[in-house]
Amino acid sequence: MERTQIVEIVVVIALMAFSVYKQTQRSEVKRGMGVFLIAIVYAAIGAVTGGLAVPTGAAAWLLLGSGAVLSLIVGLARGYLTRVWIDADGHRMSQGTVVTVGLFIALVASKVGLTVFAGYHGYQSASGFGQVLVVVAVMIAVQEYIVRRRAFTLQPASAPAPV
């Protein structure tokens, strides 16, 4: 294993651990593009580590396309399965669940599996650790969009009538 691959693996593991930790924490749902910052960071790191290599051949495109579709599906599922509520102070909050964390881990594991499969069968341009991060970025962006939409359609509970 080359030094570059070891660094990529360490980066992916660190980012995944950070993501799992963040998903389990309660956080305020905010407006603006800042909420997509984590997705942008993942995409940028993925692009720098080779996530935007153009596939060559039908099999390579199929692997890339399947990863992208899976990412969209998991992002939608996680967006709808994330807990969303308004707290006592009127802040819109969200928190991942065991299921959303499991879906995240399953997505990463499946993409790493596709990466290993692609490399074993000679489709190096079809996948790589950079593309794992790009796929995760897509999933996070879709999830954040759904969570924001859900959070800002919630109506605060009305105050009880005075007695």
Side-chain angles (χ1 to χ4, degrees):
M1 190 175 283
E2 295 178 22
R3 179 185 161 124
T4 305
Q5 290 174 318
I6 293 170
V7 170
E8 289 175 348
I9 291 169
V10 169
V11 167
V12 168
I13 290 171
L15 286 171
M16 298 307 117
F18 173 74
S19 289
V20 168
Y21 169 76
K22 287 295 285 179
Q23 289 174 52
T24 62
Q25 303 303 302
R26 293 177 180 185
S27 60
E28 184 176 359
V29 179
K30 298 181 181 180
R31 294 187 187 269
M33 290 304 293
V35 298
F36 294 106
L37 181 61
I38 291 177
I40 293 166
V41 168
Y42 271 85
I45 293 171
V48 168
T49 59
L52 300 178
V54 178
T56 56
W61 279 103
L62 181 62
L63 287 169
L64 177 63
S66 64
V69 169
L70 185 60
S71 180
L72 290 171
I73 292 168
V74 171
L76 285 168
R78 290 183 71 220
Y80 286 108
L81 294 171
T82 298
R83 289 183 56 228
V84 178
W85 71 96
I86 298 177
D87 70 7
D89 296 326
H91 298 110
R92 287 165 167 75
M93 305 296 289
S94 70
Q95 182 178 19
T97 64
V98 171
V99 174
T100 61
V101 170
L103 285 169
F104 176 79
I105 292 169
L107 174 71
V108 173
S110 67
K111 187 59 182 163
V112 169
L114 285 172
T115 298
V116 171
F117 175 83
Y120 181 75
H121 291 289
Y123 307 122
Q124 274 81 359
S125 63
S127 194
F129 286 105
Q131 279 190 12
V132 171
L133 296 178
V134 171
V135 165
V136 169
V138 170
M139 183 262 320
I140 289 171
V142 170
Q143 176 188 0
E144 285 296 324
Y145 175 76
I146 298 297
V147 167
R148 280 178 49 193
R149 277 192 50 202
R150 288 180 56 223
F152 286 100
T153 59
L154 292 176
Q155 298 298 318
S158 57
V163 180

